[in-house]
Amino acid sequence: MTERPVFREDHALFREQVRRFIAERIAPHYPQWERAGITPRALWREAGEAGLLNCQLPEPYGLGGDYGHAACVIEELARANFLGIGFSIHSDMVAPYLMQYATHAVRDAWLPKMARGEAIGAIAMTEPGAGSDLKAIRTRADAVDGGYRLNGQKTWITNGVNADVAVVVATVAPELGAGGLSLFCVDLRQPGVSRGAPMAKIGQHAQDTAELFFENVHLPADCLLGEARRGFAYLEEQLAAERLAIALRAGASAEGMLGESVAYVRQRKAFGRTLIDHQNTRFVLASAAARLAMLRCFLDQCLGWQMQGRLDATTAAMAKLNATEIQGQVLDDLLQLHGGYGYSSEYGIGRAWTDARALRIFGGTSEILRDIIGRAL
């Protein structure tokens, strides 16, 4: 990889630490976790001990680093083709909501445990009838003495089987649409919370994904994150960083698979020559390398802006749209170079191809992102 000025020396040293952790603690076991459909809780505790969780949060809530440290974890997991590890949802989505909007008591109760991997976080926005259209959310939090009563259903919840705590989006005033949304920190181990069976997916099999059900769940008043009816505004505040995280995953995934594919075509033969000796192969690889080089420049610029607190929602939408669309196209081309082996489980390109498909859906579909960008023109 060429030099990337957005990262400092401490980032480079941390990246090496992340790579060692992945090689020693994840790579040997990942096929087993894929078959099991879940990542063991022990991995989270090991990641916490290694300082890989809540990287951008101050101590004692996290590593005490910045978004650059978080990016190292995001990128190296994706580059190694382990998109099914749910660390980013936990560290770069759930934890910032708690850090930014929770009371001191709630922060102290959850964030140190999340940093150590003793508690696992999830974010519960999507419902059977509400995906990108947040104003259609029907999960309700009704005010009662001492707090709120939560009722509703959430679906496609990453870390949904393992999670101990979730940031839940619910309406406190359905008649106000998006203006009635609020965010809550919900202990998923309490009475009234139940989970569906792990959801079958076409990819990211090691990632536990489940439905969550809330039936008359009592939430103390301090479980409200920030102010009531400010949920939609808070979601918009955090979405730029969340979409950048997805974009970084997409870019690193494609780069990792490009490297794997170059190695493959150098040793695989067809018609008496290695695949790399065929002009078409070189053209496919050249196009992929050129597109990813341009994407990397843009993503690093966005990362720099995020580290300076300057990344805006429209630019983040561009980053996710470009990265995930380019990832999908590049991986499809690289899979084609593998021929029949690309469709088998023997090589990582097949898993990368199926795992990547979700990135164009969650965090805002490509269609939603185009609308956001178009309205800003």
Side-chain angles (χ1 to χ4, degrees), residues 91-360:
S91 298
D92 308 316
M93 298 184 188
V94 179
Y97 277 108
L98 299 185
M99 188 68 203
Q100 186 72 23
Y101 308 115
T103 64
H104 288 292
V106 170
R107 285 184 206 161
D108 292 342
W110 287 111
L111 288 175
K113 292 180 182 178
M114 290 176 65
R116 295 191 297 267
E118 296 170 2
I120 298 172
I123 187 161
M125 286 192 280
T126 304
E127 298 181 5
S132 298
D133 184 11
L134 293 178
K135 65 178 178 294
I137 282 176
R138 293 292 176 264
T139 296
R140 294 189 56 156
D142 295 309
V144 296
D145 289 342
Y148 296 85
R149 184 176 62 248
L150 182 68
N151 285 279
Q153 175 184 357
K154 297 293 182 178
T155 192
W156 298 113
I157 306 306
T158 300
N159 299 338
V161 176
N162 272 332
D164 303 285
V165 61
V167 172
V168 177
V169 184
T171 182
V172 297
E175 70 280 3
L176 297 180
L181 297 180
S182 297
L183 306 184
F184 295 89
C185 176
V186 179
D187 185 338
L188 298 179
R189 304 164 300 181
Q190 64 183 306
V193 179
S194 59
R195 311 170 201 239
M199 302 180 74
K201 309 185 298 293
I202 64 170
Q204 299 193 26
H205 296 302
Q207 172 58 69
D208 57 299
T209 306
E211 291 185 297
L212 298 178
F213 303 91
F214 307 103
E215 184 175 356
N216 294 325
V217 178
H218 177 70
L219 303 178
D222 69 351
C223 287
L224 175 67
L225 299 180
E227 300 176 17
R229 299 193 299 280
R230 291 273 295 158
F232 189 77
Y234 298 151
L235 292 169
E236 287 188 317
E237 289 174 8
Q238 299 297 324
L239 270 175
E242 294 169 14
R243 286 172 173 158
L244 177 60
I246 297 170
L248 293 172
R249 292 175 74 190
S253 164
E255 289 170 347
M257 283 299 101
L258 176 60
E260 294 282 337
S261 297
V262 169
Y264 175 80
V265 299
R266 288 187 182 280
Q267 56 86 26
R268 181 73 177 173
K269 289 187 176 182
F271 303 104
R273 295 186 293 169
T274 59
L275 291 180
I276 192 69
D277 291 326
H278 293 272
Q279 186 182 65
N280 178 71
T281 300
R282 296 195 301 274
F283 280 6
V284 170
L285 294 175
S287 293
R291 297 180 75 186
L292 292 177
M294 292 289 287
L295 176 63
R296 173 53 55 207
C297 292
F298 179 50
L299 291 182
D300 280 2
Q301 180 69 73
C302 290
L303 176 57
W305 286 330
Q306 173 61 25
M307 291 166 67
Q308 298 165 14
R310 296 171 50 207
L311 182 64
D312 64 88
T314 302
T315 305
M318 292 178 178
K320 181 183 182 295
L321 177 65
N322 279 320
T324 56
E325 293 288 333
I326 289 173
Q327 177 199 26
Q329 294 157 7
V330 165
L331 292 182
D332 196 71
D333 289 342
L334 297 179
L335 187 149
Q336 190 73 14
L337 290 180
H338 286 71
Y341 288 109
Y343 201 64
S344 74
S345 58
E346 183 176 348
Y347 293 91
I349 185 64
R351 173 158 53 80
W353 184 68
T354 53
D355 286 357
R357 190 60 185 85
L359 273 62
R360 281 181 273 168

Side-chain angles (χ1 to χ4, degrees), residues 46-128:
E46 293 171 355
E49 292 171 3
L52 271 60
L53 303 177
N54 292 11
C55 295
Q56 58 181 305
L57 268 59
E59 297 178 339
Y61 304 129
L63 177 68
D66 57 22
Y67 200 93
H69 295 92
C72 291
V73 178
I74 293 167
E75 289 184 345
E76 292 310 313
L77 283 170
R79 198 180 312 280
N81 201 16
F82 299 132
L83 287 179
I85 302 295
F87 292 169
S88 187
I89 292 283
H90 168 101
S91 298
D92 308 316
M93 298 184 188
V94 179
Y97 277 108
L98 299 185
M99 188 68 203
Q100 186 72 23
Y101 308 115
T103 64
H104 288 292
V106 170
R107 285 184 206 161
D108 292 342
W110 287 111
L111 288 175
K113 292 180 182 178
M114 290 176 65
R116 295 191 297 267
E118 296 170 2
I120 298 172
I123 187 161
M125 286 192 280
T126 304
E127 298 181 5

